[in-house]
Amino acid sequence: MAETRNPTQQKARPEDASTPTPATAETPGAPMLPEGPAGIAGRRSRLTQNTLPRWVPLAVLGGSAVAGAAVTALTGFSLAVWLIVTAVLYVVVSYVVTRARVNRRKATDGLWTNLVHLAFLIALLPLVSVLWSVTSVGLPGLIEPGFFASDMRGIDGTIDQASQEQGAAVLGGISHAIVGSLLITVAATVISVPIGLLTSIYLVEYSRGGPLARAITFFVDVMTGIPSIVAGLFAGAAMAWFLSTAGALTGAFGGMRSTMGITAAIALSVLMIPVVVRTTEEMLRVVPNELREASYALGVRKWRTILKVVIPTAISGIASGVTLAIARVIGETAPILVTAGFVVNVNWNLFSGWMTALPVYIYRQFQNPTSPNFSDPSHQRAWAAALVLIIIVMLLNLIARLIAKIFAPKTSGR
């Protein structure tokens, strides 16, 4: 029987296979492809229809600044009030514009983004204000000749009076305060870091949540909130008791006084230990257990695993914690004033005589100027010493970052 073929059907030619068939509305399931400039413009408009132009936030900020200045000028212009009004207007207007031109979801997202940025700026303002105030007021005293190389020996009211009335150079420096601060802080660090590190290692690696571990954690939490003056009183009483007891037994310490540099170091170590314990404990817990198990599987002892694997892995966080503890105590005034006293000359001996630290020096220059009637030179020294203290804290943070980078575990890069 002969095959009946529809005359409308034609045999497909080879060249037809390579020719693409444009998608049309008649082709089921095929997407519409716009043709020509009008189609391209329509596609672009669909991609950008839920976004605002880039100039809108700048325009809103400029308008908010102008409106804030106008509102502030009604009651007397103030920079702080103008910044607050501008920020509030910017957040509100941005939300309204975005909700009107885009949609509610993007407006809400932008609102919370602006609030987060505003909170960050508010938190940053005190830091910027302190840095600007200390730098602008303390820099003239910092560049005075002999400020770092001299102490306060021989500086009296007549010298400060001549400096203020005649415009002469402000004499007197902070060499004795720098030496005292560095010696006391280094001694406190030497006392605190081993104790805090060993305590953290016990809590993380050896304790199993027993009564001793719970007691240590509780007392560390209590020590975190101890006022600094209480630490100073404790260190002074403890050193006085030790000297009296040891002097009665051996007769070697009978003439020594408890007010000296090592007593101040003990007081600062009381404040440093809980910070070191807490930060080091958290860093040790972050170390993956797989590293410990791999070391144990190779037959390495536990103490050597801690020394060679755990601590090097967490050294970055440990260094940051120690730096945080140093920054916590290097600006303390009350415990050092109680335990180390105040002198006008350099004292290199932690175990004999009074010592002066930078915070105590700043306090004394403000509270008890060398010349009460001509206090500008004393205030200049105090502001310059405060700037030096801030610089020391910044250098300590830089040193901690370098230590963390040097001792961090080495990773093989491709």
Side-chain angles (χ1 to χ4, degrees), residues 15 46 110 125 137 143 178 193 233 258 279 288 299 326 396:
E15 57 271 17
R46 286 195 299 272
L125 281 177
V137 182
I143 61 179
I178 292 179
V193 172
L233 294 175
S258 61
T279 54
I326 294 174
L396 288 173

Side-chain angles (χ1 to χ4, degrees), residues 63-89:
S64 301
V66 173
V71 172
T72 309
L74 297 177
T75 58
F77 184 80
S78 173
L79 180 60
V81 177
W82 173 66
L83 291 175
I84 294 174
V85 174
T86 300
V88 173
L89 289 177

Side-chain angles (χ1 to χ4, degrees), residues 82-153:
W82 173 66
L83 291 175
I84 294 174
V85 174
T86 300
V88 173
L89 289 177
Y90 175 76
V91 172
V92 174
V93 174
S94 296
Y95 175 78
V96 173
V97 171
T98 306
R99 181 164 181 172
R101 296 298 302 273
V102 186
N103 54 45
R104 179 179 179 182
R105 181 178 61 83
K106 287 188 175 296
T108 304
D109 178 73
L111 173 64
W112 287 105
T113 301
N114 291 331
L115 290 177
V116 169
H117 292 164
L118 183 61
F120 170 74
L121 292 177
I122 292 174
L124 200 62
L125 281 177
L127 175 61
V128 175
S129 176
V130 168
L131 290 177
W132 172 255
S133 300
V134 176
T135 303
S136 60
V137 182
L139 190 59
L142 197 65
I143 61 179
E144 287 286 346
F147 182 70
F148 290 97
S150 61
D151 52 27
M152 294 296 293
R153 283 181 298 180

Side-chain angles (χ1 to χ4, degrees), residues 287-296 305 309 313:
V287 177
N289 286 327
E290 288 78 3
L291 295 178
R292 299 180 177 88
E293 294 171 356
S295 179
Y296 298 152
T305 299
V309 177
T313 304

